[in-house]
Amino acid sequence: MAKAIRILILIFVWVKYSQANDFPSLLVANATVGVIIDHEYLGEEYEKTFEKMKEIIERVIREDLKGAGLNIKYYSWSKINFNKDFTAIFSIASCTSTWEIFEHVQRERLLLMAITDPDCPRLPLHEALTIPRIKIGVELPQIILDIRTSHLVNWKTATILYDDIFDRDTISRVANALSVESASLAMSISLLKLNSSTDVYERRENIKKSLLSFPIRNVGSNFLVIATIPMTIIEVATEMNMINTGSQWMFLISNPRKTNVSQLMTYVKEGGNVAIASNNTIINGSCSMGEDCLYHELFKNFAMSLSKLVREEEAIYSQISDEEWESIRLSKRERRDSMLEFIKERLREEQLCKPCVNWKFESIETWGLRFDMSESGKLKPFKPVSTYTAVWEPTNGFIHYDKIYPHIAHGFRNRSVPIAIYHNPPWQIVSYNDAGQVTGMRGVTVNILKELADKLNFTYLVHNVERNVNRSGYSFWDDFNVTADDDIKSTFNLPVDILELVTDNMVLFGAVGLTVHETYEKMINYTYPISVQAYGMMIPRPKELSRLYLFLSPFTLETWLCLSFTIALIGPLFYAVHYLSPYHEHHQITKKGGLFKVQNCFWYMYGALLQQGGMYLPRSDSGRIIVGTWWMVVLVVVAIYCGNLVAFLTFPKMEISVNSISQLVKSQEQGGFTWSIRSNTFLESFLKETDIEKYVKLNESTENHEIVSKSTISRVRSGKHIIIDWETNLLHIMRKEYLETDKCEFTLIFLCIFSGNEKFLDEKIGLILPANSPYLNIINDEIYRMLQMGFINRWLSEYLPKKDRCTSKISSMEIENHTVNLADMQGCFLVLIAGIIAAIFIIMIECCCRRYRVLDDKKLIKPFVK
């Protein structure tokens, strides 16, 4: 009775909710499986396969399906209507038909178990199960295809190296597996056939010749080696330095008896990225790769997953209400994913039909192994380590255990590596306690080190070279807790202890800023420059020039002369045109007074220049054209003059005594400036080695100093000495002097830009690596990325002096609101006074002339005599 009531309740729930849900629950309806056996694909094998399938399915339903019902629908073609009643689809069809079925099944979120052609891209692993019908010995193209579909590698280009033992059809299928677009993104493929001569020397030379002539730069650095004897290939590639941190090599060994992994590992050097796939296929009685066994296992696992889901749903349904059940029961996608995961897990762990075909993938770890320490504290000899990363089977495809190229994915894999460093602000600042122990590190290179450790996934053990505290003098770096008796080292010279650590390959790299110079080029490698230090000259702050003649500054002397000549010429020219015009005779106008006098024409043109009108205007058209043209000239001249005058009022003109190296050398020849540079620097070395005349003269009169003393700064303040150094060093000196005196007594002339048609020295600063380090390229790539992102410039700016009112450059002073004062107007008053004096002088001359004429007229008067 209770069972009948339960059935009635289930029927009621199904009737009530079947309208609202897009699929029935397994508690109220049997699961439906569509079995597609494509007659066109199987051909003569169709009847036999169909009978086998029916027999297998009936046995599975009878023996393995527990607590659930299952409806089977058979189809002999692939184009059917997949409605919501289906739970899963089992198909045996061609590759094209399989993907078409998947597109329809995907819309209904059904489980698809597909058996298809070899060399067919597998369906998405999280949505369907694909098993290719592979024969033993021809599985290589399917392996290559699965490498792509499973994203075991992410190559955009690949070069296939193969010998002439493999036939053209196999190589063509391998190339097609790499280039087929339906698998994933398209890949560019290059083929290189190698000669498999029996003579070892001849084979080596042929391989070397082929690799040398191959355009590696154009086809990329990803290599797939398919050869019966790959030993010679890896040996030659290592010799040519083609196996490095930027390349990826995969060796497919079809005959592991002739070549094993341990033999290949002996040729892999540090920094290489090498993966080896070896064929572990064993043909004996323990493997049963028959299709009948495969069909039975797939249906059995499906039936078991279905039974498991029914049991779980019954257990949940018995504890909740109908409404709650409908809201929490599995969706169609969740049911598909659950069954698919169960089937895959069974195939991986409890596979009954053991496949004969099996390939084992191993990766060779090399990065950082050179720095492994022995129990005695010494470095172990370099020895690569192989890691089991994946296995391939036809049924499961790839089963991953680790990344196929662990260093590409995880860098140094959190390995601890030694790093060399020493105190040299601001590049690396090492803090010490009273006992001389290191308490902390910071600085530009330390920030770069931390970023490299994060991106390349390594930890570091610092080898610190202790500082010497045997100097005293001026320190640039008081803001960095560096006392005046610190040994401020140059980036040009490297401490011997650091140099030995790097040259002896005892450290991964030196986290020290060093000037790129040929001195150490044969012993070490420089990274991409982390900074380019430009040079400058510190001179006494220029004084502002007198503004007495400010009103003359907008125009040059030549402009003023041309303008004066124009005024002197335009008056007589206007008089001539006006006087000779027939207009006046035609209208019977008397040519007297007004513009018929030269002096009146001159003063009219002068008044127009000052934007003043005149008492007379020409009546003739020719005269009016002259006047109108002159007015246009006046508008342009006045506008330019007013604009430039405002600019000269806003930007006071500074008297810069020297602006380039050429001017500095010339001033010294005339008994002007002296100059000095720091000793043991790149600049000192450059001046000693150069043969350029002006730099030779500069070096001949240069004073060298190890530290910038107070007396040297006093000489600069007095205006007779110049310090040539890095711009950053000079900025620190100026900042310190400003804080002490609260005066802006110095300015900086930058020599890193074109000034005086010359470009002075730029000093490149880089990190250092051992000469044969394989990690130079990857570290350079990371440093270049930091530069592009602006990280290094930001870190360097943290150690530059803060801006103050003394840091503005002479060449680009900031605009300030300028109130016109008496100094700006003194030129105007000078002109007024000069005009008044000239007027007084002229009036005196006029009075004298007038008196002279009166006296002369009196002499001419004679008495009248009758």
Side-chain angles (χ1 to χ4, degrees), residues 145 155 255 570:
L145 189 58
W155 293 352
N255 190 350
I570 196 66

Side-chain angles (χ1 to χ4, degrees), residues 1 43 62 92 102 125 128 134 175 203 233 281 334 382 431 453-454 504 521 539 559 660 684 760:
M1 184 69 179
R62 185 174 58 254
I92 304 175
F102 174 72
L125 301 178
I134 297 176
R203 185 167 63 247
I233 299 176
T281 299
E334 291 171 340
F382 172 76
S431 302
D454 180 62
D504 292 344
E521 279 186 346
I539 63 174
T559 306
S660 65
E684 181 185 33
F760 196 56

Side-chain angles (χ1 to χ4, degrees), residues 27-272:
L27 297 178
V28 297
N30 292 335
T32 301
V33 177
V35 179
I36 301 174
I37 305 175
D38 195 339
H39 190 289
E40 183 180 357
Y41 170 66
L42 292 175
E44 297 178 355
E45 299 179 9
Y46 172 76
E47 294 295 337
K48 181 180 179 181
T49 304
F50 180 76
E51 294 300 327
K52 290 273 186 185
M53 285 296 303
K54 287 185 65 176
E55 179 184 348
I56 291 171
I57 292 173
E58 290 175 0
R59 186 168 72 246
V60 168
I61 294 175
R62 185 174 58 254
E63 298 176 357
D64 301 304
L65 188 62
K66 308 295 182 180
L70 187 62
N71 298 327
I72 306 297
K73 294 183 179 181
Y74 295 93
Y75 300 93
S76 60
W77 63 93
S78 60
K79 294 179 173 56
I80 62 174
N81 182 24
F82 301 96
N83 55 42
K84 64 182 180 181
D85 296 332
F86 283 104
T87 301
I89 301 295
F90 180 90
S91 68
I92 304 175
S94 64
C95 183
T96 304
S97 298
T98 299
W99 276 91
E100 291 176 353
I101 294 171
F102 174 72
E103 290 178 2
H104 295 288
V105 167
Q106 192 178 27
R107 298 193 194 103
E108 295 295 333
R109 298 179 292 279
L110 307 179
L111 173 62
L112 176 60
M113 299 171 287
I115 297 177
T116 185
D117 293 330
D119 303 352
C120 180
R122 294 183 189 261
L123 302 175
L125 301 178
H126 60 283
E127 297 182 27
L129 180 65
T130 314
I131 301 177
R133 305 172 70 191
I134 297 176
K135 296 180 179 179
I136 298 176
V138 291
E139 69 275 5
L140 194 58
Q142 185 67 45
I143 294 175
I144 302 300
L145 189 58
D146 287 346
I147 288 175
R148 293 194 60 203
T149 55
S150 62
H151 300 286
L152 204 63
V153 296
N154 296 313
W155 293 352
K156 294 182 180 179
T157 62
T159 301
I160 302 176
L161 307 178
Y162 67 98
D163 52 31
D164 50 12
I165 295 178
F166 290 92
D167 58 83
R168 181 178 297 179
D169 179 63
T170 302
I171 299 301
S172 177
R173 290 172 59 194
V174 169
N176 183 68
L178 285 173
S179 58
V180 61
E181 295 186 7
S182 59
S184 58
L185 295 177
M187 184 185 296
S188 175
I189 303 299
S190 302
L191 298 174
L192 180 60
K193 184 177 181 180
L194 304 176
N195 189 354
S196 59
S197 175
T198 56
D199 183 72
V200 176
Y201 177 78
E202 183 180 351
R203 185 167 63 247
R204 279 178 51 88
E205 291 301 314
N206 289 334
I207 294 174
K208 189 173 183 179
K209 183 178 179 181
S210 299
L211 292 178
L212 284 174
S213 61
F214 203 64
I216 302 298
R217 293 183 178 180
N218 299 329
V219 300
S221 54
N222 304 318
F223 299 91
L224 180 65
V225 180
I226 307 173
T228 53
I229 307 178
M231 196 72 65
T232 309
I233 299 176
I234 193 171
E235 182 182 357
V236 174
T238 302
E239 181 183 330
M240 297 174 62
N241 197 29
M242 294 179 64
I243 301 180
N244 50 54
T245 56
S247 63
Q248 299 177 37
W249 288 74
M250 181 177 291
F251 291 85
L252 299 179
I253 303 175
S254 58
N255 190 350
R257 295 181 181 179
K258 293 184 178 180
T259 304
N260 56 35
V261 176
S262 59
Q263 288 177 313
L264 287 177
M265 284 174 56
T266 58
Y267 293 99
V268 180
K269 302 300 181 183
E270 184 181 10

